[in-house]
Amino acid sequence: YQNLGVREEFPSLYITAAMGDPRVEYWQPAKYTAKLRQLCSQSHLGPKQLIMRTFMHGGHFGEGGLTDKDRAHAEELAFLLNNTI
C-alpha cells in the first residue's frame, strides 16, 4: 500500500477479501483498492479492470461450501480469461 506510485503501470486486478478472515482484515484489501483507484484517476496508467470481491462468509481460504468455492473459482477463471485473450 505504501509503495504504490502514480508512475507505475498496473495490470488488471481481481482483489478478494473475506469478512471472517483472521489473517487479513476486510478493510485492508478495501484500502488497497481505494488507493489504486485514486492513483488511477490521477494518471492513464491504471488497470483495465479493477475488481474487488468481498465474501460475507468464510475466511482466509474463501467461502465455506463446495458450491461457493466452485462459484468463486469460476469467477476468478472468467476474470483471467477475459484479461488474457
Side-chain angles (χ1 to χ4, degrees):
Y1 173 82
Q2 288 88 1
N3 294 327
L4 295 175
V6 177
R7 297 185 181 159
E8 297 177 35
E9 186 173 355
F10 299 101
S12 295
L13 297 170
Y14 184 84
I15 301 167
T16 59
M19 296 295 282
D21 188 349
R23 296 179 183 153
V24 180
E25 295 293 333
Y26 70 92
W27 55 266
Q28 291 171 319
K31 185 177 174 182
Y32 178 73
T33 304
K35 176 76 171 191
L36 281 171
R37 288 186 176 149
Q38 177 190 18
L39 291 173
C40 295
S41 68
Q42 297 172 359
S43 71
H44 65 286
L45 299 174
K48 294 178 184 176
Q49 282 189 314
L50 180 58
I51 298 172
M52 182 178 171
R53 172 95 155 91
T54 304
F55 297 104
M56 301 309 278
H57 305 286
H60 193 71
F61 299 104
E63 293 283 349
L66 185 59
T67 56
D68 293 330
K69 286 182 183 180
D70 290 341
R71 185 176 297 119
H73 190 64
E75 288 178 9
E76 293 168 5
L77 289 175
F79 178 80
L80 287 172
L81 288 172
N82 187 36
N83 287 288
T84 55
I85 297 177

